[in-house]
Amino acid sequence: MGQVSYKVIISVTLLFLFSPNLALAQFDIFPKGGVELKEGKIRFGRLEIHPGFTFETRYEDNVFRSDGHTEDLTDDFIFVNRPSLGLELKRGPGEIFGFNFNYRGADEHYLNLSESEDAFDHTLSTAINLGGPGGRTDLTLGGSYAIASSVVDRDFVTNIANRVDNTTKNAYLDLVVSLSRIFKASIDLSANQRKFGGANRVENVDTYNTGASFFWEASSKTSYGVKYNHRFGRYKTPSPGNADSDSDQILLGVRWSPTALVNGDFYVGYDNKRFENLSGEDRQDFIYQIDLNYTPRERTRISLNGDRQILNSTFGGIQSAVQTGIALNVAQKILKKLTAEAGFFFENRDYQRSSTDSADGLVKTRVDNAFGPQMALIYDIQRWLQARAEYRYETNKSNFDTRDYEANSASILISARY
């Protein structure tokens, strides 16, 4: 029942080694278009071309996230080829049209599990960015299509499997209107379809979101916003374990940059989630999201991310769970070309309704606590060529013993991108 969404945003993925499953819509206070144009490495006229390729060798000691009680742990070496291609035409100041197109592939080969687990995942995404006269409006139309053999949502992993063939289609519209120099409003629409293979087709779900926002730039350092979302999910095959739902969210937020060293986003609100014909499953709770970045010096960056949200659940007949998480990440440049990264995350998931534990026959409320560190060293061989070595530990501790697991993984990656 996990949801996948795609937004055209600029992200620094190497700095965020871990982060909770942040599903709350962020506040886009400023229009995306009208960016300053810079020379790209490979160009065809104004069109920037970004080819890339990564080779990864990874060892995992618990490929299927087994609890280790009911079955033996399975370890293996995985070799992954990751081709990528990006095309981008940036919309400069005063221009009307811009677009981007991105492809990412992951060709996975297992040393011992090759016959059953080898897979080639694909992700395609594209967006068109349009700007109105005078830069007062900004419209982005986009979508994505992904084919994968793994599922990253921990609820799905502990209840069904972490390797299940699935496809995701997504389309969205974001419209930002500058009402004045300091007031902006937006409309956000999105549709998401997720399908699973084999016996897991019962999890196939369509999710829709309609949202509206209003923002006030109080000063150059502080902006305030209010956002409303109406979301509804519809299952292809409704069942006692999968019920259609509607939810309404209201969020208040502030974007704060008190100094050049510190910036952060804070959002707090309320979510009212309702399930068709299952009033006992309805859930209301407060939600929040925090993103803080601190750069005490040019060579150091510290980030803190946290959230609380109501998620759909695949556990028995329980329809949802409340998740609260936090992640701390540090990136430190050691030498001119060498950077060290370290991170730690903690995530609590409370299902808040009682169920029978098949392992001991007791009736109890399931609570999971997942946590773990990650460390990495990154060496910039050239501006376009990078080597990365990383270690990651992840564990899920549950009062339902068969939902526990521990996993260690170590990877070496060589990446080239222009």
Side-chain angles (χ1 to χ4, degrees):
M1 295 188 185
Q3 299 178 7
V4 175
S5 62
Y6 178 81
K7 294 281 186 180
V8 182
I9 58 175
I10 298 174
S11 61
V12 188
T13 55
L14 292 180
L15 296 179
F16 295 89
L17 305 179
F18 276 113
S19 64
N21 223 356
L22 304 181
L24 306 185
Q26 294 203 20
F27 290 102
D28 295 321
I29 294 179
F30 303 104
K32 304 177 184 65
V35 297
E36 180 183 354
L37 298 178
K38 298 180 180 179
E39 277 299 310
K41 297 181 179 66
I42 302 178
R43 303 174 68 91
F44 184 77
R46 283 276 309 282
L47 179 67
E48 294 187 12
I49 305 172
H50 302 285
F53 187 85
T54 298
F55 176 73
E56 176 185 1
T57 301
R58 184 172 75 251
Y59 171 76
E60 292 189 9
D61 68 353
N62 188 2
V63 172
F64 301 107
R65 303 299 186 260
S66 166
D67 60 24
H69 300 305
T70 58
E71 55 184 317
D72 294 332
L73 302 181
T74 302
D75 68 327
D76 208 345
F77 284 91
I78 306 107
F79 306 96
V80 190
N81 298 307
R82 302 182 188 274
S84 64
L85 177 65
L87 304 176
E88 184 175 23
L89 178 65
K90 296 178 180 178
R91 181 169 70 83
E95 295 184 341
I96 296 176
F97 177 80
F99 81 92
N100 65 58
F101 169 86
N102 291 282
Y103 167 77
R104 299 191 309 275
D107 186 13
E108 296 186 340
H109 295 271
Y110 285 73
L111 184 63
N112 298 314
L113 298 169
S114 58
E115 292 184 3
S116 59
E117 299 305 327
D118 284 359
F120 203 146
D121 298 346
H122 306 272
T123 302
L124 288 168
S125 60
T126 187
I128 295 173
N129 183 228
L130 304 173
R136 295 180 62 86
T137 59
D138 188 282
L139 175 65
T140 302
L141 299 168
S144 63
Y145 177 74
I147 301 173
S149 58
S150 60
V151 184
V152 296
D153 180 78
R154 188 170 287 105
D155 179 274
F156 198 99
V157 168
T158 57
N159 296 317
I160 298 177
N162 72 317
R163 297 193 63 79
V164 175
D165 291 340
N166 63 97
T167 61
T168 304
K169 299 176 184 177
N170 176 262
Y172 68 89
L173 177 153
D174 290 343
L175 174 65
V176 180
V177 180
S178 298
L179 304 176
S180 70
R181 188 182 64 82
I182 61 172
F183 292 109
K184 303 182 188 298
S186 74
I187 296 174
D188 310 296
L189 307 174
S190 66
N192 179 278
Q193 181 185 81
R194 195 166 194 191
K195 292 184 177 181
F196 296 87
N200 296 303
R201 291 189 180 92
V202 69
E203 301 295 333
N204 294 353
V205 61
D206 295 339
T207 307
Y208 306 90
N209 183 83
T210 59
S213 311
F214 181 77
F215 309 107
W216 170 39
E217 186 181 354
S219 69
S220 60
K221 297 181 179 181
T222 308
S223 300
Y224 301 98
V226 58
K227 185 173 183 66
Y228 167 77
N229 288 314
H230 175 68
R231 295 179 176 176
F232 51 102
R234 300 293 181 262
Y235 283 88
K236 299 294 186 181
T237 308
S239 68
N242 296 324
D244 293 347
S245 65
D246 291 79
S247 67
D248 293 283
Q249 295 180 344
I250 185 73
L251 294 160
L252 301 176
V254 58
R255 176 168 291 173
W256 185 49
S257 301
T259 72
L261 306 180
V262 179
N263 67 81
D265 293 348
F266 306 86
Y267 316 110
V268 62
Y270 182 78
D271 192 353
N272 180 15
K273 196 174 186 72
R274 306 168 303 281
F275 293 90
E276 275 193 21
N277 305 317
L278 293 172
S279 59
E281 294 286 343
D282 292 351
R283 189 72 55 88
Q284 299 85 37
D285 218 314
F286 78 95
I287 54 178
Y288 63 80
Q289 181 173 323
I290 301 173
D291 297 295
L292 284 175
N293 296 294
Y294 175 49
T295 310
R297 55 184 62 88
E298 186 179 351
R299 301 166 63 91
T300 306
R301 178 173 177 134
I302 302 170
S303 64
L304 179 68
N305 312 101
D307 81 326
R308 179 182 174 88
Q309 57 182 302
I310 301 175
L311 300 178
N312 286 347
S313 166
T314 59
F315 177 54
I318 297 176
Q319 302 297 322
S320 63
V322 174
Q323 175 183 287
T324 306
I326 192 167
L328 176 66
N329 302 284
V330 180
Q332 174 67 51
K333 202 170 187 65
I334 302 173
L335 302 171
K336 182 178 180 181
K337 293 189 174 184
L338 185 65
T339 301
E341 297 178 354
F344 182 85
F345 85 101
F346 174 80
E347 183 181 277
N348 171 271
R349 185 165 293 183
D350 188 348
Y351 290 80
Q352 296 194 343
R353 287 191 63 248
S354 297
S355 181
T356 302
D357 187 345
S358 59
D360 56 22
L362 299 178
V363 177
K364 49 192 172 182
T365 300
R366 179 181 168 185
V367 177
D368 287 11
N369 290 300
F371 55 90
Q374 177 170 314
M375 296 167 285
L377 284 175
I378 303 97
Y379 182 68
D380 296 316
I381 303 170
Q382 298 289 338
R383 291 183 63 185
W384 53 272
L385 184 63
Q386 184 184 85
R388 179 183 179 95
E390 67 179 40
Y391 165 76
R392 175 171 180 160
Y393 172 77
E394 179 182 351
T395 185
N396 186 67
K397 300 295 184 183
S398 175
N399 57 345
F400 280 61
D401 289 343
T402 57
R403 312 299 170 172
D404 292 342
Y405 70 81
E406 289 184 274
N408 293 272
S409 67
S411 304
I412 297 176
L413 302 91
I414 304 292
S415 302
R417 188 175 190 273
Y418 286 89

